[in-house]
């Protein structure tokens, strides 16, 4: 059985067309955020699948509608994002903009606030990994900067 098969079999599936329910789900499953709704947004087609294990959660997420999120990466976790389909645009500190197309991979550091805009067809795989586990994987000890 491949890792993808385990994800499909063991993962928790979630689907909603209600933006408020989507907001609550993502806040609980991945990170604190705000999802300001456009005046004409009364439905989305959000689906996610996730597996939560100690120190790591794996998420596949799509909204099926143009969505703008204001996010805060948890203080003690990194969020790694791989775009599978469509594109997203993340804006950090209101200055630097990162466009993520299929195959692009970005890492959001702990405690980093950012805004993210999803195109309707955007589909991403995300890993939420504890800073301790990330540091261990990168070869740094407690209190050291990962990778250095």
């Amino acid at each position: 059985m491949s890792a993808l098969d385990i994800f499909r079999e063991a993962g928790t599936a979630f689907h909603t067309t209600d933006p408020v329910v989507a907001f609550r789900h993502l806040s609980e499953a991945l990170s604190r955020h705000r999802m300001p709704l456009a005046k004409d947004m009364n439905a989305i087609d959000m689906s996610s699948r996730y597996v939560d294990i100690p120190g790591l959660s794996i998420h596949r997420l799509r909204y099926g509608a143009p969505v703008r999120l204001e996010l805060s990466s948890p203080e003690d976790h990194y969020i790694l994002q791989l775009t599978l389909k469509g594109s997203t645009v993340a804006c950090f500190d209101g200055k630097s903009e990162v466009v993520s197309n299929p195959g692009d991979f970005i890492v959001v550091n702990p405690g980093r606030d950012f805004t993210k805009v999803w195109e309707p067809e955007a589909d991403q795989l995300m890993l939420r990994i504890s800073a301790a586990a990330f540091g261990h994987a990168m070869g740094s000890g407690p209190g050291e900067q990962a990778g250095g």
Side-chain angles (χ1 to χ4, degrees):
M1 184 177 275
S2 74
L4 188 54
D5 291 332
I6 293 169
F7 182 67
R8 284 187 192 126
E9 295 297 320
T12 301
F14 180 85
H15 179 262
T16 187
T17 57
D18 184 331
V20 175
V21 173
F23 161 77
R24 287 187 190 133
H25 169 73
L26 187 60
S27 286
E28 292 173 10
L30 192 59
S31 71
R32 291 184 336 261
H33 74 285
R34 290 178 10 108
M35 188 168 64
L37 300 177
K39 290 178 186 171
D40 61 345
M41 179 177 277
N42 51 13
I44 58 175
D45 187 20
M46 185 238 199
S47 67
S48 79
R49 177 170 293 279
Y50 64 97
V51 175
D52 202 359
I53 55 177
L56 174 72
S57 61
I58 305 166
H59 305 259
R60 183 159 183 187
L61 180 64
R62 74 171 178 77
Y63 286 95
V67 174
R68 181 178 177 270
L69 304 173
E70 296 170 2
L71 299 115
S72 294
S73 182
E75 290 294 326
D76 58 347
H77 285 79
Y78 287 86
I79 298 178
L80 292 72
Q81 304 175 11
L82 172 64
T83 300
L84 304 171
K85 185 178 174 188
S87 68
T88 64
V89 178
C91 184
F92 297 90
D93 304 321
K95 301 174 206 161
S96 57
E97 199 171 87
V98 179
V99 177
S100 185
N101 292 307
D104 291 343
F105 187 80
I106 64 171
V107 177
V108 180
N109 291 330
R112 188 84 191 261
D113 294 340
F114 63 105
T115 301
K116 186 172 180 183
V117 177
W118 290 65
E119 288 187 352
E121 64 279 356
D123 186 358
Q124 285 195 325
L125 183 65
M126 298 181 190
L127 278 66
R128 181 178 178 260
I129 184 169
S130 73
F134 189 79
H136 179 73
M138 299 304 288
S140 62
E144 295 178 31
Q145 182 76 16

